Amino acid sequence: MKRIKLLDREFELSIPYQEIDEAIEKIAVKMNKELAGTDPLMICILNGSFMFAADLMKKVDFPCEISFVKLSSYEGTGTTGTVKELIGLTESIEGRTVVILEDIIDTGITIEKIVKQLDGYKPKDIKVASMLFKPDACKADINVDYVGLDIPNDFIVGYGLDYDGYGRNLPDIYTVVE
C-alpha cells in the first residue's frame, strides 16, 4: 500500500479516488431522482466538504444553489466534543429544501448541531448527505439520507479531510498507521 507522512504521522492508502468517485455517483443518482423539482439549497460544511461538494455538484442534474458554513469540532486526530460556529449562513431557508453536504460523520455532534440550528429557520425539509460515515462512532440520533461509504472508526486524511490542516489536497483517502 502507498504510504505518506504528514507532520509526525504516517498514513497508508485506504480509499482510492476511483472508489470515492463511484460513491459520489451513487449519491448523485439517488439525489437526481429524489430532489428533482425541489430547487434545494445545498449547504457545504467547510473546510472538509469542499472536494465532496465540488464533485457532487458536477453530477447532480437539477437546479440548485450552494452555500457554505464553517463549523469545527476537531483538533489533531480527535474530536473536542464541542462544535464552534465560525461562519454562518446568509441565505433565507424558510420553506426550502436544504441538503447539508458533510465530508464525514463520526460522532454525529457536528451534524446534529447544524440540523438543529437550521430547523429553527423553518425549512421545508432538511436532508443530510455525507461522503463518509462511521457507524461505530456515531453517538447522535441522526438521519443520514445519502451516504457514500461506511468506514471503520479510524482516523483518516485526504479528499478534504485533514490532520492539523494538512492532507486536504490529497485525491485519495489515507488511514493513520498506529
Side-chain angles (χ1 to χ4, degrees):
M1 283 194 162
K2 184 178 174 187
R3 283 190 172 216
I4 60 166
K5 184 170 183 175
L6 296 173
L7 302 173
D8 59 341
R9 297 284 180 115
E10 292 222 5
F11 297 84
E12 62 185 16
L13 179 66
S14 56
I15 307 171
Y17 178 74
Q18 182 178 347
E19 193 176 332
I20 295 166
D21 191 54
E22 289 168 3
I24 294 170
E25 180 67 30
K26 211 172 56 175
I27 290 171
V29 166
K30 186 175 178 187
M31 283 185 173
N32 288 336
K33 289 179 188 170
E34 295 179 1
L35 298 175
T38 65
D39 186 28
L41 174 64
M42 310 293 231
I43 299 177
C44 174
I45 309 299
L46 296 174
N47 286 342
S49 300
F50 76 99
M51 288 180 104
F52 170 50
D55 285 348
L56 179 66
M57 292 297 286
K58 295 173 198 170
K59 296 176 184 292
V60 296
D61 63 9
F62 50 83
C64 62
E65 292 179 88
I66 187 165
S67 189
F68 302 86
V69 295
K70 188 169 181 178
L71 301 171
S72 176
S73 65
Y74 263 85
E75 286 179 9
T77 61
T79 184
T80 63
T82 60
V83 177
K84 306 168 196 164
E85 183 172 355
L86 304 175
I87 300 173
L89 183 67
T90 57
E91 292 84 358
S92 172
I93 63 169
E94 187 171 345
R96 287 196 76 179
T97 296
V98 172
V99 181
I100 302 166
L101 304 179
E102 184 64 290
D103 54 351
I104 187 167
I105 296 175
D106 46 29
T107 64
I109 292 169
T110 301
I111 203 70
E112 188 175 54
K113 177 170 176 135
I114 195 165
V115 166
K116 186 176 180 179
Q117 285 180 349
L118 292 176
D119 198 43
Y121 294 106
K122 301 179 183 158
K124 178 181 178 183
D125 195 12
I126 299 174
K127 298 205 174 277
V128 175
S130 185
M131 178 57 221
L132 303 167
F133 181 59
K134 293 182 178 179
D136 293 338
C138 190
K139 297 175 176 136
D141 183 24
I142 55 171
N143 183 40
V144 185
D145 302 278
Y146 308 98
V147 175
L149 299 166
D150 284 347
I151 62 169
N153 191 18
D154 297 323
F155 185 75
I156 58 173
V157 298
Y159 196 73
L161 297 141
D162 74 302
Y163 172 48
D164 281 346
Y166 291 88
R168 291 190 195 278
N169 60 311
L170 301 167
D172 305 309
I173 292 175
Y174 295 79
T175 301
V176 70
V177 177
E178 297 296 338

